[in-house]
Amino acid sequence: MDSEIPAPLLAVLERREMLTQPVRAALGSLPWRLQVVGDGREIIPEGFRPTEVCLLLDGMAADMRYLASGDRQITTLHVPGDFVDLHGLFVKVLDHGVLALTDCQIAVVRHEDVRRAMLDDPAIADLVSTMIARGAAIQRTWIVCMGRKDPVRRIGHLVCEMSARVLAPRHGQGHRFEFPITQAELADLAGLSVVHTNRALQELRATGLVAWQGANVVIHNWTSLATFAGFDPTYLGLVQDAG
Amino acid sequence: MDSEIPAPLLAVLERREMLTQPVRAALGSLPWRLQVVGDGREIIPEGFRPTEVCLLLDGMAADMRYLASGDRQITTLHVPGDFVDLHGLFVKVLDHGVLALTDCQIAVVRHEDVRRAMLDDPAIADLVSTMIARGAAIQRTWIVCMGRKDPVRRIGHLVCEMSARVLAPRHGQGHRFEFPITQAELADLAGLSVVHTNRALQELRATGLVAWQGANVVIHNWTSLATFAGFDPTYLGLVQDAG
DNA sequence: CGTCTTCTTGATACGATTCAAGACGGGTGG
DNA sequence: CCACCCGTCTTGAATCGTATCAAGAAGACG
């Protein structure tokens, strides 16, 4: 629509990655269009063969897969600044669908334009690969939570992660952030029943570490919650890691 | 050691990806050294800052993370042809360790050499990104299995996947392959106790779809097993997908 | 032959799912 | 403004699944 206003695209990416000036320039000149997807609608259907990538500008989305049984499993959450289907540049068929958990605003960029930018500046190619690798690390961590953490810690870990991905983490301090996910969606993410998710949430609130009402999550003591949930932010590769 | 004999490196990679002649040439000229890691030893420790990538030539390895409780969770298995730490090119600190599940032979290549090859030929950069993206798809699929599949199907799915990754899948036919994993390791992979893993295995064998004794797995009816376990190979992006 | 690891089994306790139903809250139409 | 409706959250009770504990059997290895 309005490729003459690249600001939001850059602004949202810079929350996540440190961008050099040439990279900023290259990203800023990428043609893109805005797309709006309503709460509960599919951004990308499972099995799609994408020719574009989608950068989430606003809202929350989830990668998800349906089973033959009718069950579904959410594999990752996406927050503004995430490309929801970046790996579509490298694998032809998407193995999951992407669901809008809220009303979402998306910047859509054609594969060929991204590929050209990657060829023109290898730093762009690096950025793309880094984002894919980070997404994989998040999934890996979630496997650990699903396999070896009880539901309360599992959700506690999720709260830590989402707060770190949405905000700049300030350890030891309180955090407040918006987490507009229903308990049914949380259940499909955590691999639990809705009923049990509800009870795990109550238990988590009962620890006093977290207040969670509606879409508002308040972490009263970040460090204690991280310790309780076994959250180690290494895998997020955030900026403090300048080594 | 012997960078004048690149054949095994290429041979093992070509089981997985279709390589063009220039890519073959570039990979063939990469300097590398052979490393041998014994059964049960760590190939890479958790939290390592790698300066090299490791290509598994022979054996089986597992990405894994320890929890404070002493529990551990395996997040992915690696078979010959997999780079076990390719994402180390893009993230500085590895968020997991890599464990040799058998005696392993590994080709070690320095990051700087891989990076040079990526710059010289963007097709190499693409190959690297594709392998990372495929690894992520495998993890995503495992999240689905852990969250929404009962233990029997979970292990059944794993058998399908490993057979597809080790062999060229021939649907509807029987398969035999080596799967040298202990039940304790399987438990840490599936997020189960050892006892329950044992019982799930017995139940899987009782279906008659799979025979599994020691390191030898025989799939009697691939299609039935895939249906039973809900295995859809799309995510592996194997060669049949030439679209 | 003995020792160690891996596999197997039974019994018990706990955790999670399921079913069913009610409470709450936001939005819509009368 | 109120009544209603629908989606979401919450609760209780019964059932099933899974972990845990403990011990024995089967192999592998020296």
Side-chain angles (χ1 to χ4, degrees):
Chain A
M1 290 281 164
D2 38 7
S3 29
E4 60 278 359
I5 312 176
L9 195 149
L10 271 181
V12 87
L13 276 175
E14 290 199 309
R15 291 193 201 170
R16 187 90 10 110
E17 306 286 342
M18 207 85 80
L19 304 180
T20 63
Q21 193 48 46
V23 168
R24 285 178 53 92
L27 292 176
S29 68
L30 277 179
W32 60 284
R33 61 169 225 275
L34 181 69
Q35 189 166 327
V36 175
V37 179
D39 184 359
R41 311 224 29 169
E42 271 192 346
I43 298 174
I44 296 165
E46 198 171 331
F48 192 61
R49 292 175 175 255
T51 58
E52 301 172 314
V53 292
C54 297
L55 172 65
L56 188 56
L57 296 175
D58 190 59
M60 199 164 82
D63 287 1
M64 136 222 104
R65 202 126 97 199
Y66 282 103
L67 303 187
S69 61
D71 288 339
R72 73 177 185 189
Q73 175 68 39
I74 291 174
T75 55
T76 316
L77 296 181
H78 293 294
V79 298
D82 292 341
F83 284 93
V84 302
D85 55 357
L86 199 52
H87 53 290
L89 282 165
F90 303 102
V91 300
K92 298 189 194 76
V93 183
L94 291 185
D95 55 287
H96 64 270
V98 182
L99 180 72
L101 298 181
T102 66
D103 291 340
C104 286
Q105 293 193 11
I106 293 154
V108 181
V109 187
R110 287 182 312 175
H111 278 186
E112 48 194 295
D113 292 325
V114 178
R115 288 203 161 275
R116 187 169 347 97
M118 290 168 63
L119 286 175
D120 290 347
D121 184 351
I124 303 275
D126 253 47
L127 181 64
V128 166
S129 301
T130 303
M131 295 182 97
I132 293 177
R134 281 214 208 304
I138 290 173
Q139 289 172 183
R140 204 160 29 235
T141 302
W142 194 236
I143 290 178
V144 176
C145 290
M146 301 251 296
R148 290 294 181 221
K149 286 190 168 135
D150 63 68
V152 182
R153 278 166 238 269
R154 208 178 295 178
I155 296 175
H157 191 285
L158 181 73
V159 169
C160 284
E161 177 184 306
M162 293 311 284
S163 81
R165 286 169 67 191
V166 168
L167 312 165
R170 286 157 301 173
H171 295 271
Q173 301 187 17
H175 276 198
R176 168 188 296 271
F177 66 104
E178 277 209 7
F179 195 4
I181 192 171
T182 67
Q183 292 186 8
E185 288 155 354
L186 203 52
D188 284 336
L189 177 58
L192 300 168
S193 68
V194 183
V195 171
H196 203 68
T197 300
N198 178 277
R199 287 173 177 145
L201 269 176
Q202 292 178 47
E203 220 178 302
L204 182 62
R205 287 188 286 239
T207 63
L209 297 169
V210 179
W212 186 336
Q213 26 210 356
N216 278 336
V217 175
V218 181
I219 304 178
H220 291 128
N221 187 325
W222 209 94
T223 308
S224 298
L225 180 62
T227 304
F228 170 74
F231 177 76
D232 170 357
T234 305
Y235 70 100
L236 290 174
L238 292 173
V239 249
Q240 67 264 28
D241 166 45
Chain B
M1 292 286 162
D2 37 7
S3 29
E4 60 280 357
I5 312 176
L9 194 149
L10 271 180
V12 86
L13 276 175
E14 290 200 307
R15 291 194 200 171
R16 186 95 3 114
E17 306 285 341
M18 207 85 80
L19 303 180
T20 64
Q21 192 47 48
V23 168
R24 284 178 53 91
L27 293 177
S29 68
L30 276 179
W32 60 285
R33 62 169 223 276
L34 180 69
Q35 189 168 327
V36 175
V37 179
D39 184 359
R41 311 223 31 165
E42 272 194 343
I43 298 174
I44 296 165
E46 197 171 332
F48 191 61
R49 292 173 175 255
T51 58
E52 303 171 312
V53 292
C54 297
L55 172 64
L56 188 56
L57 296 175
D58 190 59
M60 200 165 83
D63 288 1
M64 133 224 105
R65 202 127 95 198
Y66 282 103
L67 303 187
S69 61
D71 288 340
R72 73 176 185 188
Q73 175 68 37
I74 291 174
T75 56
T76 315
L77 296 180
H78 292 294
V79 298
D82 292 342
F83 283 94
V84 302
D85 55 356
L86 199 52
H87 54 290
L89 283 164
F90 303 103
V91 300
K92 297 188 195 75
V93 183
L94 291 186
D95 54 287
H96 63 272
V98 182
L99 180 74
L101 298 181
T102 65
D103 291 338
C104 287
Q105 293 193 12
I106 293 156
V108 181
V109 188
R110 288 183 309 176
H111 278 186
E112 47 194 295
D113 293 324
V114 178
R115 288 203 161 275
R116 187 167 351 95
M118 290 168 64
L119 286 176
D120 289 347
D121 184 352
I124 303 275
D126 254 48
L127 180 64
V128 166
S129 301
T130 303
M131 294 183 99
I132 293 176
R134 281 213 209 305
I138 290 173
Q139 290 173 183
R140 205 159 29 237
T141 303
W142 195 238
I143 289 178
V144 177
C145 289
M146 300 251 296
R148 290 293 182 224
K149 286 191 167 130
D150 62 69
V152 183
R153 277 166 239 268
R154 209 178 295 176
I155 296 175
H157 192 284
L158 181 73
V159 168
C160 283
E161 178 184 306
M162 294 310 284
S163 80
R165 286 171 67 193
V166 169
L167 311 165
R170 285 157 302 173
H171 295 271
Q173 301 186 17
H175 276 199
R176 167 189 297 269
F177 67 103
E178 276 208 9
F179 195 4
I181 191 172
T182 68
Q183 292 186 7
E185 289 155 354
L186 204 51
D188 284 336
L189 177 58
L192 301 167
S193 67
V194 183
V195 172
H196 203 69
T197 300
N198 179 276
R199 287 176 176 142
L201 269 175
Q202 292 179 47
E203 220 179 303
L204 183 62
R205 287 189 286 239
T207 63
L209 297 170
V210 179
W212 186 334
Q213 25 210 357
N216 277 337
V217 175
V218 181
I219 304 178
H220 291 127
N221 187 325
W222 209 95
T223 308
S224 298
L225 179 62
T227 304
F228 169 74
F231 177 77
D232 171 357
T234 305
Y235 69 101
L236 290 175
L238 292 173
V239 249
Q240 66 265 27
D241 166 47

